[in-house]
Amino acid sequence: MSRTTNELRQAYLDFFKSHGHTVIPGASLVPENDPTVLFTTAGMHPLVPYLLGEPHPGGKRLTDVQLCVRTQDIDEVGDISHLTCFEMLGNWSLGDYFKEGAISMSFEYLTKVLQLPIEKLAVTCFEGDDDAPKDTESAAIWEKLGMPKERIAFLPKAKNWWGPAGLTGPCGPDTEMFYWVGDGEPKGNPKTHENEWLEIWNDVFMQYFKKEDGTFEPLAQQNVDTGMGLERVAAVIQGVESVYDTDAFTPIIEKITSMSTAKSDNDVRHKRIIADHIKAAVFMIADGVEPSNVDQGYVLRRLIRRAIRSARTLGIEHAGTFGSTIADVVIAQYGSHYSHLVKKQSGIKESLKKEEEQFKKTLEEGLKQFSKMVEKIEGKMIDGKTAFHLYDTYGFPFELTKELAAEHGFSIDEAGYKTAFEAHQNLSRAGAEKRFAGGLADHSAETTKLHTATHLLNAALRTVLGDHVYQKGSNVTAERLRFDFPHPEKMTPEQIKQVEDLVNKAIKDDLPIAYHVTTVDGAKSEGAIGVFDDRYGSEIKVYVMGDDKKGVFSKEICGGPHVSHTGVLGTFKIQKEESSSAGVRRIKAVVSGGPADIDTAGEAQG
Ligand code: SER
């Protein structure tokens, strides 16, 4: 029975709902309060605080679909199974069911709901090492359910262990599920026939916390974190060769084909790259990213430019409407589930148009430079440094330089380019690693304090500047908080001082902090602040700072965690107030002098 991608997404959520899971909305692609990664890369990512024990308002069983962006496989994009932007279906147990429950539900879903023949399924389990024992328990559960022994492979940590996503954090052994995509009858298992078995689902048993010293400590709460690739499952169910041949991608690819005016040797791949990259760009822009030269904006820019480069090879016009034409098809396809795409359609198209126009200018300038450069070159070889310069300064994807070189009868010193590129990458990787060092699970005392300070700041800004202030963006590291909010002009020194004084008074008053669980409407009617978009689940947490006796200073929708009383923040100081973009101000602030140990706020009593 074939099913559309939209139907498969819904079927998964319905199945886990019927097994007692709360369906929660996927989070933004740009992680909130997590400076350690640029994009949400897995469904568990926004759930880290809850995996570490923070109660979730939806309870102990959750399910969702999370749009993810992963750029580490960017060079694989265009093969049969890799994407930079994909949907991950997931179900979680926060200290509720464990291996038996997770595996039997996975098995039921695969064989009963998706009706995949058991003969075409295989699984892998963790083979064990010094850190954790061989996972014979999972293997025994699979066998009991009917999985033949020869379809169960044991593999080492490199394959069958997931996380932590940063240097420290929750992690554990996993059991992965595969579907036979090889020719003829299924053979062996993913260990003996690696390339013929396609991974479709991963059940992670998050029972450890990896510490900074590299050792593993059992977690107080035994969790399950699963992730199923929606596009891959759709390919399997629809019986097509690649994720790009599924119903979700077909109209996008067809549109690209209709726009093409030239043939290239690598047609199929270029079309797939365009489809994947423009889809990723659409979702990124919808979540507030704009093309730029740093962080998320840089990744977005690179994706758009790579798509344009592929468009060139297919003879597609790219003077301003290329990206937005494809964006329309992407939004038509995904808008029914991701309604924010429809709401933001014109802004998304505008942003793509601007970047395309800008790149066209850069491209023209770069082409001039390129011609000048080749005039100066003796012989027929462009050295690696020059090729890298075009990439670094003009944003020329390497393939583009290579093509231009070929057109002019030149070749490129690819090894030299690689060396120049890697030197640069090492530099940026050093930066990236530093970002990572905080760990995805950095819910340290310092970040928790700064997170609480963010709420106090938000409330104080509203008092001083007015109710038009709300959190447009927030980013907390262990060193500082960063808060973006709409406000038409620069704050005066007096206003900055007033805000600081208000926050410091709230700290001095040592306000108690607690949360309660309510609905979005409940939160609205009690006057809690929060960005009321459709991202919230039906049950949400409201953190209240202050009480009847001392006065309520802040009431805000938030997942937590927070400190249990404001006194531990020490002293609050605004270090910088600057423009972030048109009509948006940015504050960077710190706290200092509080105790190193803190308790986190619990649920309000009574
Ligand atoms: N976190 C795991 C993964 O990304 C399972 O969801 O595969």
Side-chain angles (χ1 to χ4, degrees):
M1 185 180 38
S2 189
R3 272 174 273 191
T4 64
T5 300
N6 282 334
E7 285 166 355
L8 286 166
R9 189 192 294 114
Q10 196 55 44
Y12 186 94
L13 300 176
D14 288 346
F15 175 80
F16 283 97
K17 194 174 171 188
S18 77
H19 283 275
H21 293 67
T22 303
V23 181
I24 59 168
S28 164
L29 261 184
V30 181
E32 275 230 336
N33 295 320
D34 185 352
T36 62
V37 281
L38 291 177
F39 293 103
T40 300
T41 57
M44 58 75 74
H45 190 167
L47 296 173
V48 169
Y50 312 103
L51 292 163
L52 293 176
E54 184 70 18
H56 191 285
K60 290 177 185 296
R61 292 182 178 212
L62 308 174
T63 183
D64 77 9
V65 54
Q66 176 65 51
L67 197 100
C68 302
V69 163
R70 286 187 186 175
T71 48
Q72 67 263 43
D73 295 331
I74 196 162
D75 289 328
E76 253 83 54
V77 169
D79 68 356
I80 62 163
S81 61
H82 286 91
L83 299 158
T84 60
C85 173
F86 61 97
E87 291 177 83
M88 189 184 282
L89 296 158
N91 57 284
W92 291 273
S93 156
L94 304 173
D96 192 51
Y97 58 83
F98 202 47
K99 293 182 182 176
E100 175 92 43
I103 294 174
S104 52
M105 280 188 277
S106 289
F107 186 79
E108 187 186 338
Y109 187 70
L110 291 172
T111 57
K112 297 265 164 43
V113 180
L114 297 183
Q115 298 182 351
L116 295 175
I118 185 167
E119 303 76 52
K120 288 196 166 187
L121 294 171
V123 301
T124 59
C125 299
F126 179 53
E127 75 173 12
D129 61 15
D130 291 345
D131 298 321
K134 181 172 179 174
D135 192 5
T136 49
E137 192 188 339
S138 292
I141 299 167
W142 283 117
E143 261 192 82
K144 200 179 72 192
L145 291 166
M147 187 65 69
K149 237 191 167 84
E150 68 267 28
R151 296 275 187 263
I152 305 175
F154 285 95
L155 293 168
K157 215 187 224 122
K159 295 268 184 192
N160 275 88
W161 186 278
W162 204 87
L167 288 184
T168 64
C171 59
D174 65 40
T175 180
E176 302 183 4
M177 290 148 265
F178 295 77
Y179 190 78
W180 174 255
V181 290
D183 290 332
E185 289 299 303
K187 290 185 237 0
N189 55 52
K191 188 173 181 176
T192 60
H193 294 73
E194 194 181 343
N195 296 326
E196 291 155 286
W197 289 97
L198 175 73
E199 186 201 334
I200 51 174
W201 202 352
N202 184 9
D203 287 358
V204 186
F205 304 115
M206 291 201 155
Q207 56 187 122
Y208 297 99
F209 186 93
K210 187 175 183 185
K211 298 200 296 185
E212 235 159 282
D213 62 8
T215 59
F216 296 83
E217 193 172 69
L219 276 177
Q221 176 177 300
Q222 292 197 320
N223 308 298
V224 175
D225 153 43
T226 95
M228 173 183 251
L230 176 60
E231 294 80 0
R232 289 187 180 187
V233 168
V236 163
I237 294 292
Q238 295 172 11
V240 292
E241 200 213 337
S242 85
V243 292
Y244 298 97
D245 297 307
T246 58
D247 70 303
F249 272 103
T250 314
I252 307 173
I253 300 276
E254 275 170 5
K255 185 76 197 177
I256 297 166
T257 303
S258 76
M259 294 163 82
S260 308
T261 63
K263 280 241 164 275
S264 97
D265 300 342
N266 232 333
D267 259 36
V268 172
R269 200 178 183 96
H270 284 303
K271 286 178 196 171
R272 290 174 174 179
I273 289 173
I274 295 172
D276 170 79
H277 288 10
I278 297 293
K279 176 183 159 190
V282 164
F283 276 100
M284 286 180 187
I285 299 167
D287 277 343
V289 183
E290 286 294 328
S292 76
N293 287 329
V294 292
D295 298 343
Q296 286 91 350
Y298 177 65
V299 177
L300 171 59
R301 172 160 282 169
R302 255 181 72 204
L303 288 169
I304 298 173
R305 292 185 172 192
R306 277 173 61 107
I308 293 176
R309 186 253 148 191
S310 283
R312 283 173 67 84
T313 69
L314 297 172
I316 297 176
E317 186 60 38
H318 49 91
T321 56
F322 153 71
S324 56
T325 305
I326 295 161
D328 277 334
V329 189
V330 171
I331 296 170
Q333 188 56 40
Y334 290 93
S336 62
H337 183 79
Y338 297 98
S339 56
H340 67 299
L341 298 183
V342 181
K343 278 188 219 146
K344 298 185 176 171
Q345 188 151 358
S346 62
I348 293 169
K349 290 170 68 175
E350 188 53 36
S351 178
L352 284 167
K353 179 166 179 272
K354 258 181 32 208
E355 179 62 12
E356 206 171 307
E357 286 167 351
Q358 188 172 336
F359 187 44
K360 197 171 166 68
K361 274 194 219 132
T362 317
L363 207 59
E364 278 159 11
E365 181 55 27
L367 287 174
K368 268 191 229 146
Q369 294 294 331
F370 179 84
S371 307
K372 267 195 217 151
M373 248 153 33
V374 290
E375 267 167 35
K376 280 192 225 137
I377 293 173
E378 288 172 30
K380 284 281 159 198
M381 169 80 89
I382 297 175
D383 63 283
K385 260 204 171 134
T386 302
F388 182 71
H389 177 71
L390 280 171
Y391 166 76
D392 203 28
T393 314
Y394 298 102
F396 273 38
F398 177 68
E399 300 85 357
L400 178 65
T401 307
K402 202 163 138 183
E403 239 163 63
L404 293 173
E407 277 168 24
H408 289 74
F410 282 85
S411 58
I412 297 187
D413 172 12
E414 262 195 74
Y417 172 81
K418 253 195 158 149
T419 313
F421 183 78
E422 271 160 17
H424 165 89
Q425 234 192 356
N426 283 340
L427 280 180
S428 46
R429 194 175 295 145
E433 245 147 53
K434 244 169 99 195
R435 287 174 78 97
F436 237 53
L440 178 58
D442 183 11
H443 293 275
S444 66
E446 290 315 310
T447 54
T448 307
K449 283 184 206 167
L450 283 163
H451 186 193
T452 302
T454 303
H455 282 221
L456 297 178
L457 171 64
N458 193 350
L461 283 168
R462 288 167 65 88
T463 304
V464 174
L465 301 178
D467 283 351
H468 60 281
V469 170
Y470 67 90
Q471 172 174 322
K472 209 165 170 6
S474 160
N475 174 291
V476 176
T477 71
E479 283 83 38
R480 55 112 185 101
L481 69 84
R482 197 179 80 195
F483 186 77
D484 295 348
F485 59 99
H487 186 58
E489 63 215 6
K490 192 168 173 52
M491 286 174 72
T492 64
E494 294 75 39
Q495 287 170 332
I496 292 177
K497 173 90 175 35
Q498 273 173 8
V499 169
E500 269 179 356
D501 288 350
L502 273 176
V503 173
N504 280 317
K505 163 112 183 20
I507 295 173
K508 217 165 142 241
D509 288 347
D510 199 16
L511 306 175
I513 302 176
Y515 70 83
H516 56 273
V517 176
T518 177
T519 60
V520 172
D521 287 339
K524 264 189 200 165
S525 63
E526 64 176 289
I529 57 171
V531 182
F532 291 96
D533 64 8
D534 39 19
R535 288 238 187 267
Y536 294 128
S538 52
E539 307 245 82
I540 53 172
K541 279 159 98 174
V542 171
Y543 274 85
V544 180
M545 307 191 172
D547 59 12
D548 293 345
K549 242 177 35 224
K550 296 186 173 182
V552 172
F553 190 82
S554 149
K555 201 182 250 195
E556 187 170 344
I557 298 175
C558 177
H562 285 281
V563 301
S564 59
H565 56 110
T566 58
V568 296
L569 299 187
T571 308
F572 173 82
K573 178 121 199 64
I574 293 179
Q575 288 190 317
K576 225 185 197 163
E577 191 276 343
E578 61 192 351
S579 161
S580 148
S581 60
V584 179
R585 308 298 303 175
R586 167 168 288 181
I587 281 179
K588 287 188 181 154
V590 294
V591 293
S592 60
D597 277 332
I598 50 132
D599 290 323
T600 52
E603 188 158 8
Q605 300 302 314

PDB file of all heavy atoms in Angstrom, residues 42 44 70 88 162 202 204 225-227, ligand 1:
ATOM      1  N   ALA A  42      18.563  17.082  15.226  1.00  0.00           N
ATOM      2  CA  ALA A  42      17.847  15.853  15.566  1.00  0.00           C
ATOM      3  C   ALA A  42      16.637  16.221  16.414  1.00  0.00           C
ATOM      4  O   ALA A  42      16.599  17.282  17.043  1.00  0.00           O
ATOM      5  CB  ALA A  42      18.751  14.892  16.343  1.00  0.00           C
ATOM      6  N   MET A  44      15.811  15.022  19.150  1.00  0.00           N
ATOM      7  CA  MET A  44      16.090  15.084  20.586  1.00  0.00           C
ATOM      8  C   MET A  44      16.698  16.415  21.012  1.00  0.00           C
ATOM      9  O   MET A  44      16.706  16.761  22.178  1.00  0.00           O
ATOM     10  CB  MET A  44      17.008  13.942  21.031  1.00  0.00           C
ATOM     11  CG  MET A  44      18.369  13.840  20.357  1.00  0.00           C
ATOM     12  SD  MET A  44      19.621  15.045  20.871  1.00  0.00           S
ATOM     13  CE  MET A  44      20.046  14.390  22.487  1.00  0.00           C
ATOM     14  N   ARG A  70      21.399  19.198   8.529  1.00  0.00           N
ATOM     15  CA  ARG A  70      22.741  18.684   8.799  1.00  0.00           C
ATOM     16  C   ARG A  70      23.592  18.982   7.572  1.00  0.00           C
ATOM     17  O   ARG A  70      23.215  18.582   6.465  1.00  0.00           O
ATOM     18  CB  ARG A  70      22.724  17.172   9.011  1.00  0.00           C
ATOM     19  CG  ARG A  70      22.145  16.761  10.331  1.00  0.00           C
ATOM     20  CD  ARG A  70      22.314  15.265  10.568  1.00  0.00           C
ATOM     21  NE  ARG A  70      21.610  14.897  11.785  1.00  0.00           N
ATOM     22  CZ  ARG A  70      21.475  13.656  12.225  1.00  0.00           C
ATOM     23  NH1 ARG A  70      21.989  12.649  11.540  1.00  0.00           N
ATOM     24  NH2 ARG A  70      20.818  13.410  13.348  1.00  0.00           N
ATOM     25  N   MET A  88      12.653  14.433  10.688  1.00  0.00           N
ATOM     26  CA  MET A  88      12.894  13.292  11.560  1.00  0.00           C
ATOM     27  C   MET A  88      11.662  13.050  12.424  1.00  0.00           C
ATOM     28  O   MET A  88      11.228  13.920  13.169  1.00  0.00           O
ATOM     29  CB  MET A  88      14.111  13.555  12.454  1.00  0.00           C
ATOM     30  CG  MET A  88      14.544  12.329  13.229  1.00  0.00           C
ATOM     31  SD  MET A  88      15.897  12.667  14.372  1.00  0.00           S
ATOM     32  CE  MET A  88      17.274  12.690  13.268  1.00  0.00           C
ATOM     33  N   TRP A 162      24.719   6.491  20.213  1.00  0.00           N
ATOM     34  CA  TRP A 162      24.368   7.832  19.755  1.00  0.00           C
ATOM     35  C   TRP A 162      24.605   8.863  20.854  1.00  0.00           C
ATOM     36  O   TRP A 162      24.218   8.671  21.991  1.00  0.00           O
ATOM     37  CB  TRP A 162      22.920   7.914  19.287  1.00  0.00           C
ATOM     38  CG  TRP A 162      22.749   9.047  18.314  1.00  0.00           C
ATOM     39  CD1 TRP A 162      22.940   8.993  16.974  1.00  0.00           C
ATOM     40  CD2 TRP A 162      22.420  10.406  18.623  1.00  0.00           C
ATOM     41  NE1 TRP A 162      22.736  10.234  16.420  1.00  0.00           N
ATOM     42  CE2 TRP A 162      22.418  11.119  17.400  1.00  0.00           C
ATOM     43  CE3 TRP A 162      22.131  11.101  19.799  1.00  0.00           C
ATOM     44  CZ2 TRP A 162      22.130  12.479  17.319  1.00  0.00           C
ATOM     45  CZ3 TRP A 162      21.851  12.451  19.719  1.00  0.00           C
ATOM     46  CH2 TRP A 162      21.848  13.131  18.488  1.00  0.00           C
ATOM     47  N   ASN A 202      16.239   4.673  14.243  1.00  0.00           N
ATOM     48  CA  ASN A 202      17.239   4.502  15.288  1.00  0.00           C
ATOM     49  C   ASN A 202      16.585   4.660  16.653  1.00  0.00           C
ATOM     50  O   ASN A 202      15.997   5.701  16.929  1.00  0.00           O
ATOM     51  CB  ASN A 202      18.319   5.586  15.073  1.00  0.00           C
ATOM     52  CG  ASN A 202      19.470   5.468  16.048  1.00  0.00           C
ATOM     53  OD1 ASN A 202      19.569   4.498  16.788  1.00  0.00           O
ATOM     54  ND2 ASN A 202      20.342   6.460  16.041  1.00  0.00           N
ATOM     55  N   VAL A 204      17.496   5.015  20.411  1.00  0.00           N
ATOM     56  CA  VAL A 204      18.648   5.236  21.294  1.00  0.00           C
ATOM     57  C   VAL A 204      18.208   5.043  22.744  1.00  0.00           C
ATOM     58  O   VAL A 204      17.172   5.566  23.155  1.00  0.00           O
ATOM     59  CB  VAL A 204      19.212   6.669  21.140  1.00  0.00           C
ATOM     60  CG1 VAL A 204      20.493   6.829  21.961  1.00  0.00           C
ATOM     61  CG2 VAL A 204      19.467   7.003  19.677  1.00  0.00           C
ATOM     62  N   ASP A 225      15.140   7.687  22.984  1.00  0.00           N
ATOM     63  CA  ASP A 225      15.105   8.742  21.974  1.00  0.00           C
ATOM     64  C   ASP A 225      15.143   8.053  20.625  1.00  0.00           C
ATOM     65  O   ASP A 225      16.087   7.335  20.334  1.00  0.00           O
ATOM     66  CB  ASP A 225      16.344   9.637  22.150  1.00  0.00           C
ATOM     67  CG  ASP A 225      16.772  10.310  20.855  1.00  0.00           C
ATOM     68  OD1 ASP A 225      15.895  10.802  20.128  1.00  0.00           O
ATOM     69  OD2 ASP A 225      17.991  10.340  20.586  1.00  0.00           O
ATOM     70  N   THR A 226      14.109   8.202  19.825  1.00  0.00           N
ATOM     71  CA  THR A 226      14.170   7.547  18.514  1.00  0.00           C
ATOM     72  C   THR A 226      14.111   8.554  17.384  1.00  0.00           C
ATOM     73  O   THR A 226      13.598   9.656  17.538  1.00  0.00           O
ATOM     74  CB  THR A 226      13.047   6.488  18.311  1.00  0.00           C
ATOM     75  OG1 THR A 226      11.948   7.086  17.620  1.00  0.00           O
ATOM     76  CG2 THR A 226      12.603   5.868  19.614  1.00  0.00           C
ATOM     77  N   GLY A 227      14.642   8.182  16.253  1.00  0.00           N
ATOM     78  CA  GLY A 227      14.620   9.058  15.090  1.00  0.00           C
ATOM     79  C   GLY A 227      14.436   8.251  13.823  1.00  0.00           C
ATOM     80  O   GLY A 227      15.197   7.322  13.547  1.00  0.00           O
TER      81      GLY A 227
HETATM   82  N1  SER B   1      19.074  11.153  18.108  1.00  0.00           N
HETATM   83  C1  SER B   1      19.098   9.987  17.282  1.00  0.00           C
HETATM   84  C2  SER B   1      19.462  10.288  15.856  1.00  0.00           C
HETATM   85  O1  SER B   1      19.615  11.422  15.498  1.00  0.00           O
HETATM   86  C3  SER B   1      17.774   9.298  17.345  1.00  0.00           C
HETATM   87  O2  SER B   1      16.742  10.218  17.231  1.00  0.00           O
HETATM   88  O3  SER B   1      19.603   9.381  15.097  1.00  0.00           O
END
